Amino acid sequence: MSLFKPLPIFSGPLVQSFMASFKSKSDKRYAHSIAGEWRSVKSKDGTTLLARIHEVSEPKGLVILVHGWEGSIHSSYIVRTTKHFLKKGFSVYRFNLRDHGDTHHLNEGIFNGSLLPETYEAVRELVKIFGKQGPVYLAGFSLGGNFVLRMAARHSLSKIGDQIPGLKHCFAFSPALDPKSATIKMDEHPFLRKYFLNSWKSSLVKKANLFPHLYSFHDLDDYQSVMHLTEKMVKEFSQFLSVDEYFNSYTLNDLFFKSVRIPTTILTSMDDPVIPWKEFADIPPSSYLEVVIESKGGHCGFIEDLNRSSYYWKLMEKKMG
């Protein structure tokens, strides 16, 4: 039985997806007024990533949030989730992936979905800042959900000294399990294809303006699909020999899920316009994994009311109580 009950007028997949990402005036005001500290963290290879940390006195724990592709710590779903859990007495760290949230200047290399080591190391450094103040919860959305699942697996397979200290539970909302199929599905939807393609092109232009000696993207207008541009970027600016090899580097298969040994909750919807839901039904059963497939919710939506309260907050609180 579905536990997610959206208002009927807001139950459509695109409406749910839009409401999740739409930056309202209150979102913008809160994002600017919320007390916090910028913190840069370095990985072993010298990559620098940026986070915004918000601490409360005597926290119940720490929630680290990882946004989706072409999102940032300023994305509405990140801002609203931050607000919710700060009110609940948790410290919250919002974390930018490489080349997201106007951090293009921090590194010469271009972001791609395979960059797990720098992301995992940055999260470990952030947790060290938090110290032994309570349990740690990691939550990711869309591509960020894919990163969180891979961090859960890396944590599970690592020696104690290389694990994320205090990690108690991972959450992945509308995660991309098979990035190739997600890209194909995205390209099939005119609105989503245009949105993500234009966002990605803008990001690449920023990168080229900052590092003109390394990049020149004069031909971006020639690329009319996300897949077409992905093929270009993989061929010209990655170590991968083919686009399939690239996608395979962060595709989550049965063997992958068997390696996860940390409690993990996955939430998706059957009407997600980007992520094929049937992939989630094929995840092998595990005592560590809870897979929740709702009939509605869109992509990273799951909006319950006019205040844009999110159903996944309830799922999180249930595991964090």
Side-chain angles (χ1 to χ4, degrees):
M1 180 181 291
S2 175
L3 297 177
F4 171 55
K5 306 294 185 184
L7 294 172
I9 193 172
F10 296 135
S11 64
L14 287 182
V15 174
Q16 280 285 320
S17 305
F18 173 78
M19 288 179 69
S21 299
F22 171 68
K23 290 182 186 175
S24 67
K25 289 182 179 179
S26 62
D27 291 339
K28 293 175 183 176
R29 277 197 303 270
Y30 182 77
H32 284 105
S33 65
I34 182 175
E37 176 187 343
W38 290 105
R39 186 65 65 100
S40 62
V41 286
K42 275 190 179 292
S43 63
K44 292 173 185 174
D45 66 359
T47 301
T48 300
L49 300 176
L50 188 66
R52 181 83 166 158
I53 66 176
H54 310 278
E55 299 196 322
V56 299
S57 58
E58 299 182 7
K60 295 178 182 177
L62 169 64
V63 179
I64 298 180
L65 301 175
V66 187
H67 59 80
W69 183 47
E70 293 305 325
S72 77
I73 65 170
H74 302 297
S75 294
S76 176
Y77 53 89
I78 296 289
V79 170
R80 287 182 291 105
T81 302
T82 298
K83 184 177 183 178
H84 178 81
F85 283 102
L86 286 176
K87 282 185 177 179
K88 293 289 183 177
F90 291 86
S91 292
V92 180
Y93 293 1
R94 297 181 287 157
F95 173 70
N96 272 319
L97 297 169
R98 184 197 289 213
D99 288 352
H100 290 74
D102 293 324
T103 63
H104 301 71
H105 61 289
L106 295 178
N107 305 285
E108 288 188 349
I110 294 174
F111 172 80
N112 69 62
S114 74
L115 300 177
L116 178 63
E118 66 186 43
T119 309
Y120 183 81
E121 289 170 25
V123 167
R124 289 188 69 244
E125 289 303 310
L126 288 173
V127 173
K128 289 178 185 177
I129 295 168
F130 181 68
K132 297 179 180 179
Q133 300 183 62
V136 175
Y137 303 95
L138 193 54
F141 302 79
S142 192
L143 180 58
N146 174 289
F147 270 94
V148 164
L149 292 173
R150 282 184 287 153
M151 284 190 273
R154 174 161 291 207
H155 171 91
S156 301
L157 296 170
S158 295
K159 297 180 291 187
I160 291 177
D162 294 328
Q163 290 183 331
I164 299 170
L167 183 61
K168 186 176 181 182
H169 204 105
C170 293
F171 301 92
F173 305 123
S174 304
L177 304 187
D178 183 337
K180 184 176 181 179
S181 66
T183 301
I184 291 169
K185 191 169 182 181
M186 187 188 305
D187 274 335
E188 289 172 350
H189 197 291
F191 173 80
L192 295 174
R193 180 180 67 243
K194 183 177 180 180
Y195 172 80
F196 281 105
L197 193 58
N198 287 346
S199 295
W200 190 13
K201 288 178 179 180
S202 295
S203 176
L204 292 174
V205 169
K206 285 182 185 178
K207 199 76 176 181
N209 289 338
L210 288 162
F211 300 100
H213 58 297
L214 295 176
Y215 308 111
S216 175
F217 298 118
H218 60 278
D219 60 345
L220 288 182
D221 288 342
D222 296 342
Y223 295 86
Q224 299 302 314
S225 73
V226 176
M227 183 63 79
H228 193 195
L229 185 52
T230 300
E231 290 168 351
K232 167 193 170 66
M233 298 305 296
V234 168
K235 180 180 178 181
E236 298 182 18
F237 300 103
S238 85
Q239 75 275 27
F240 299 102
L241 299 178
S242 68
V243 71
D244 282 340
E245 183 185 351
Y246 165 63
F247 282 130
N248 287 339
S249 72
Y250 64 112
T251 295
L252 312 184
N253 56 24
D254 287 6
L255 187 62
F256 165 85
F257 282 108
K258 290 176 182 176
S259 71
V260 175
R261 295 287 187 271
I262 184 82
T264 299
T265 297
I266 301 170
L267 172 66
T268 193
S269 66
M270 291 182 176
D271 67 354
D272 190 318
V274 179
I275 309 296
W277 73 269
K278 289 185 179 179
E279 298 168 1
F280 296 82
D282 295 332
I283 293 175
S286 164
S287 59
Y288 293 98
L289 294 174
E290 177 187 33
V291 181
V292 181
I293 304 174
E294 293 287 348
S295 59
K296 296 182 180 299
H299 186 66
C300 296
F302 305 98
I303 304 296
E304 292 188 310
D305 53 38
L306 291 173
N307 294 321
R308 291 195 293 165
S309 300
S310 293
Y311 167 65
Y312 50 76
W313 298 343
K314 292 178 182 177
L315 291 184
M316 292 176 72
E317 288 173 40
K318 197 172 165 186
K319 304 298 181 181
M320 296 160 70

